């Protein structure tokens, strides 16, 4: 059984159902039932047209559920609309489904969460981490979003800004999390850039390309994380960097600055530096100032504190950090780094160990633990 095939077909099948009038929640349930049926039937009797089979079975599951619900008997007149079994067109509907999920009846935050869960394949825990909220809070948000759109016809797609936010979060999870979705996010953003003339779409694509260009250098052969300053820049993909910079320059020339363009500009400055020591940190701080003005994000201000520490010295960075909430994710790790830069190895080692206990994934936890051990070894000499 090719579970990867089932997953890749899910967005297209879901799109077919919502196009035919199924409410999103009901369509999602029907598709899940069809996937369960496929896992049962396909090993012994694989279909010649996998997508067509799934569309047919999912639609039948939807109709069965509709008939069973007396409050929805008005939908029974759609029985004759059941798709005829047979080859289904090989069309990639994933990007369109992103727009459909960004429905005007939902708040942007709820639309993003619902799309990440239903289309992106992320778990509730992963989405909660991306939003910096407890998992229980995110589970409630997703449940409310499903209830809101239950029975709604998806004939009014959402806006570009919400779709960009979803793609950005999917890329981030694929780039640094448990699920490899980065390449898929780039593919969809390329599609969007080809169909919409929008500087922030270009900015997001540039940002993804510039980050993805460094991916091969981000981990050592044993899987451990390699900090940006220690990465082998010879392993960076110069073609992706050149493409990303070119796209960014064209977007910035339109003088309609947005947060993704600002983030891409920071990534471009890192990519442009031949060595870590030659990084233009002063200009990076200026871009973080722009980004903070655009977003007022605590994560942006946390990253800005690191940049200030590089540009103006670790004590200036610690002063910027002191103005932020200490409960912010990775706050302790940043404090450890800045204290190490300031020569306070005892405090830095303690904070690295504390940060390791709060790390969101095993790779980051191991990296921070090694940092603490390294400093403790230096202090004991």
């Amino acid at each position: 059984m090719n579970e990867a095939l089932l997953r890749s077909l899910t967005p297209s099948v879901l799109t077919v159902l919502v196009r035919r009038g199924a409410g999103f929640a009901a369509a999602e349930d029907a598709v899940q039932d069809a996937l369960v049926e496929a896992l049962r039937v396909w090993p012994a009797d694989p279909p010649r047209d996998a997508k067509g089979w799934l569309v047919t079975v999912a639609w039948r599951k939807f109709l069965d559920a509709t008939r069973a619900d007396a409050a929805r008997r008005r939908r029974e007149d759609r029985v004759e609309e059941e798709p005829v079994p047979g080859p289904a067109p090989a069309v990639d509907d994933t990007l369109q489904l992103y727009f459909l999920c960004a429905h005007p009846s939902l708040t942007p935050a709820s639309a993003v969460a619902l799309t990440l869960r239903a289309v992106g394949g992320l778990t509730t825990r992963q989405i909660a981490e991306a939003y910096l909220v407890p998992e229980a809070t995110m589970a409630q948000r997703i449940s409310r979003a499903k209830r809101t759109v239950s029975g709604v016809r998806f004939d009014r797609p959402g806006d570009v800004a919400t779709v960009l936010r979803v793609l950005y979060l999917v890329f981030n999870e694929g780039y640094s999390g448990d699920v490899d979705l980065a390449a898929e996010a780039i593919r969809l953003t390329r599609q969007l850039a080809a169909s919409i003339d929008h500087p922030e779409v270009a900015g997001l694509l540039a940002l993804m390309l510039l980050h993805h260009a460094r991916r091969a250098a981000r981990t050592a052969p044993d899987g451990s994380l390699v900090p940006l300053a220690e990465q082998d820049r010879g392993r960076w993909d110069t073609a992706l960097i050149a493409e990303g910079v070119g796209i960014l320059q064209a977007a910035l020339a339109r003088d309609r600055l947005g947060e993704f363009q600002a983030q891409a500009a920071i990534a471009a400055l890192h990519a442009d530096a031949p060595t870590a020591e030659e990084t233009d940190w002063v200009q990076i701080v200026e871009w973080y100032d722009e980004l903070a003005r655009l977003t007022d994000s605590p994560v942006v201000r946390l990253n800005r504190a690191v940049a200030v520490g590089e540009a103006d010295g670790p004590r200036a960075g610690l002063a910027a950090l002191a103005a932020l909430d200490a409960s912010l994710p990775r706050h302790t790790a940043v404090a450890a780094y800045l204290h190490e830069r300031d020569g306070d190895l005892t405090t830095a080692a303690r904070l690295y160990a504390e940060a390791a206990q709060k790390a969101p994934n095993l790779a980051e936890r191991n990296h921070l633990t090694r940092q603490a051990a390294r400093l403790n070894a230096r202090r004991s000499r």
Side-chain angles (χ1 to χ4, degrees):
M1 167 59 60
N2 191 338
E3 294 187 15
L5 173 61
L6 286 175
R7 179 172 178 173
S8 69
L9 290 173
T10 298
S12 294
V13 177
L14 189 54
T15 300
V16 171
L17 266 65
V18 296
R19 281 177 176 170
R20 291 178 176 273
F24 185 86
E28 186 183 23
D29 289 342
V31 172
Q32 292 302 317
D33 288 343
L35 295 178
V36 171
E37 187 73 4
L39 290 171
R40 185 182 68 82
V41 172
W42 285 12
D45 185 20
R48 286 182 295 179
D49 176 30
K51 179 180 174 181
W53 190 97
L54 285 171
V55 168
T56 299
V57 173
W59 185 254
R60 286 174 177 163
K61 296 287 186 183
F62 164 70
L63 292 178
D64 289 344
T66 300
R67 295 189 190 100
D69 188 347
R72 299 180 181 179
R73 290 187 180 279
R74 62 183 180 276
R75 296 186 180 178
E76 291 185 352
D77 58 2
R78 298 186 186 132
V79 172
E80 298 304 320
E81 297 177 15
E82 178 182 334
V84 177
V91 178
D92 183 359
D93 297 311
T94 307
L95 186 58
Q96 183 177 6
L97 190 55
Y98 272 62
F99 273 95
L100 291 174
C101 286
H103 197 269
S105 64
L106 295 172
T107 65
S110 294
V112 170
L114 178 62
T115 313
L116 289 172
R117 184 71 183 91
V119 188
L122 275 65
T123 66
T124 303
R125 175 185 60 80
Q126 291 166 330
I127 302 169
E129 290 174 355
Y131 268 95
L132 308 179
V133 300
E135 183 175 350
T137 300
M138 183 53 64
Q140 292 174 356
R141 184 179 300 177
I142 293 172
S143 295
R144 285 196 301 268
K146 287 184 177 181
R147 288 196 298 271
T148 299
V149 300
S150 179
V152 170
R153 285 190 66 92
F154 280 67
D155 54 359
R156 292 187 297 150
D159 65 355
V160 174
T162 301
V163 174
L164 289 179
R165 178 63 51 191
V166 176
L167 290 169
Y168 175 65
L169 291 175
V170 170
F171 176 82
N172 280 345
E173 188 59 43
Y175 188 70
S176 61
D178 302 325
V179 183
D180 187 359
L181 296 171
E184 174 67 1
I186 291 174
R187 184 183 71 83
L188 293 173
T189 306
R190 284 190 187 279
Q191 284 187 10
L192 188 58
S195 61
I196 298 177
D197 184 18
H198 193 298
E200 272 293 82
V201 176
L204 178 58
L205 178 57
L207 175 63
M208 289 180 175
L209 295 175
L210 289 164
H211 278 308
H212 209 58
R214 302 199 301 260
R215 188 168 190 180
R218 291 186 71 247
T219 54
D222 62 359
S224 60
L225 293 179
V226 180
L228 177 61
E230 300 173 18
Q231 289 177 15
D232 178 1
R233 300 186 178 218
R235 298 184 66 196
W236 290 1
D237 189 326
T238 55
L240 281 184
I241 291 173
E243 183 184 4
V245 169
I247 293 171
L248 173 63
Q249 289 175 338
L252 292 175
R254 301 178 64 177
D255 198 24
R256 289 169 54 194
L257 184 64
E259 62 173 294
F260 294 122
Q261 295 170 72
Q263 287 191 59
I266 294 168
L269 286 168
H270 283 298
D272 187 55
T275 65
E277 293 72 23
E278 295 174 86
T279 303
D280 189 346
W281 286 106
V282 172
Q283 193 172 168
I284 287 176
V285 171
E286 292 174 355
W287 275 111
Y288 270 123
D289 288 338
E290 288 286 347
L291 190 55
R293 179 182 60 80
L294 290 166
T295 66
D296 194 30
S297 163
V299 175
V300 169
R301 297 189 184 279
L302 182 69
N303 291 332
R304 179 186 178 278
V306 176
V308 168
E310 299 290 352
D312 300 327
R315 295 194 179 182
L318 286 167
L321 186 66
L324 303 177
D325 185 348
S327 66
L328 190 66
R330 296 188 173 90
H331 184 285
T332 307
V334 170
Y337 173 74
L338 291 172
H339 277 289
E340 180 184 357
R341 289 280 319 282
D342 195 39
D344 187 351
L345 302 189
T346 300
T347 300
R350 174 177 58 80
L351 290 173
Y352 274 130
E354 289 181 14
Q357 296 301 314
K358 304 174 185 177
N361 56 65
L362 182 60
E364 192 168 332
R365 182 183 308 162
N366 289 341
H367 170 71
L368 292 168
T369 300
R370 282 193 294 270
Q371 295 294 83
R374 174 179 57 81
L375 294 187
N376 284 327
R378 283 179 59 186
R379 289 170 51 227
S380 63
R381 290 173 187 168

